[in-house]
Amino acid sequence: MAAPYFSVVIPTYKRLPMLLRVLDALEGQQAAPELEVIVIDDGSGDDTADVMQTRRAKHYALTFQSQPNSGPGRARNRGVELATGRYILFIGDDTVPEPGFLAQHARSHGDAGDDPHLACLGYTGWPAGERVTAFMDYINDFGLQFGYKLIRDGEIVPFNFFYTSNISIDRQLLGLEPFDTTFPAAAWEDIELAFRLDALGLKIRYNAQAVTRHYHPMTVDSFARRQYTVGRSGAIFYRKHPELAGFLGVHELETRTLANDRHLAHLRRRARLGERFRLLATNRVFETLMREHYLRGLRDGLAAVASTESGKTSG
């Protein structure tokens, strides 16, 4: 039997109802090439394993495995190990593909002559019919979560647009251990991989017609907590690649004073108002508040890394 064109790899953690919607959407793909789907449960501890063991798929081969909770990077690595397709296509357990999703990824690779160094980035947007705030639009469009308003359909984009919610890449290029599993949270591990692959000649082409819909609403408060975590992981990224100090904000942290608690509270109030009322929303407030949380996480992460390294030296 010929190997499939795509191996769709989906890490999942405690999102069974949405995962089933993702799998149903893959069943409904139009003009799709041969594919297999590999789901890795990252220790959900709920009904995911029981339901998936009995799940049947009509239009693709389905593989399911569970692992102890150890993060999406390790789950994706396991999925890649099990894959047999020409291309790995990473999506999330909360990103539901539209019907032409797979055909568009295949078109991008075909148009490039199946260049093994070309990855295809698709568009991940909010679902139609769901409430979307000005803040959610901002983080999707201008680089905090995604940055789709910063790029154009068809262009080659930088390594920091390697979004594992919707990207396909040659399986052989990924290698045997694609994601660095020392990152403790789902933050920077995908961009760090892309930075390494960039040195090997990786090119990422954006196809805005390869669409998934992201069923994961964000609030100002929940995303601020996420940005703090991203900052802490940024410290790990910096220790691995100190040449990216400017990109990661290390130089900014060294040359500016962070907002005091009173100013931070003022920014939070203004951002929450913009979240409730679009007429009061300003991207500058959203950006400033989230940057403050990111830099605090980066500061604390750098201190923690330095403390760990000092302890190893003294030991």
Side-chain angles (χ1 to χ4, degrees), residues 71-89:
R74 194 176 297 277
R76 292 189 195 103
N77 283 351
R78 182 56 181 152
V80 172
E81 289 173 3
L82 296 171
T84 62
R86 169 70 185 272
Y87 293 99
I88 302 294
L89 206 170

Side-chain angles (χ1 to χ4, degrees), residues 129-282:
E130 300 284 323
R131 180 177 182 267
V132 177
T133 66
F135 176 72
M136 290 168 63
D137 277 338
Y138 179 68
I139 63 174
N140 204 72
D141 292 343
F142 293 104
L144 291 186
Q145 183 167 32
F146 304 124
Y148 288 111
K149 286 285 180 69
L150 305 176
I151 57 179
R152 294 188 302 273
D153 187 23
E155 75 176 352
I156 299 295
V157 300
F159 71 90
N160 53 302
F161 286 87
F162 192 92
Y163 303 146
T164 48
S165 63
N166 185 346
I167 199 162
S168 55
I169 184 171
D170 186 273
R171 178 166 58 90
Q172 298 300 324
L173 184 62
L174 282 171
L176 298 177
E177 187 76 7
F179 292 92
D180 187 327
T181 58
T182 60
F183 288 90
W188 288 122
E189 83 287 351
D190 47 1
I191 307 304
E192 192 274 339
L193 165 64
F195 179 69
R196 286 185 276 117
L197 294 179
D198 184 72
L200 300 177
L202 174 69
K203 301 181 294 291
I204 305 171
R205 187 176 300 281
Y206 175 42
N207 182 345
Q209 283 73 53
V211 179
T212 58
R213 297 296 175 183
H214 194 194
Y215 287 82
H216 193 157
M218 289 286 183
T219 68
V220 165
D221 292 339
S222 67
F223 202 80
R225 292 191 293 271
R226 180 184 184 276
Q227 284 301 94
Y228 178 83
T229 299
V230 172
R232 289 192 67 103
S233 287
I236 298 171
F237 197 173
Y238 167 64
R239 291 304 186 191
K240 294 177 183 295
H241 303 286
E243 67 272 27
L244 292 178
F247 169 74
L248 292 167
V250 175
H251 294 331
E252 181 181 356
L253 193 62
E254 294 169 344
T255 58
R256 61 167 286 186
T257 301
L258 296 179
N260 59 34
D261 290 345
R262 182 177 178 180
H263 187 201
L264 197 66
H266 174 70
L267 286 170
R268 188 178 298 112
R269 285 193 297 270
R270 291 189 62 189
R272 287 170 176 169
L273 280 172
E275 184 175 44
R276 292 180 61 193
F277 307 107
R278 278 188 175 266
L279 287 175
L280 300 178
T282 66

Side-chain angles (χ1 to χ4, degrees), residues 49-71:
D50 291 339
V51 172
M52 288 300 300
Q53 294 293 355
T54 60
R55 172 83 185 194
R56 296 291 182 266
K58 295 180 182 178
H59 301 303
Y60 53 79
L62 177 62
T63 299
F64 173 81
Q65 283 195 6
S66 293
Q67 66 178 26
N69 181 252
S70 47

Side-chain angles (χ1 to χ4, degrees), residues 6-33:
F6 284 128
S7 296
V8 182
V9 173
I10 309 172
T12 189
Y13 180 71
K14 293 187 177 181
R15 288 203 185 112
L16 178 60
M18 190 53 61
L19 171 65
L20 296 176
R21 288 188 64 175
V22 173
L23 296 177
D24 288 343
L26 290 170
E27 288 275 10
Q29 292 296 293
Q30 299 171 357

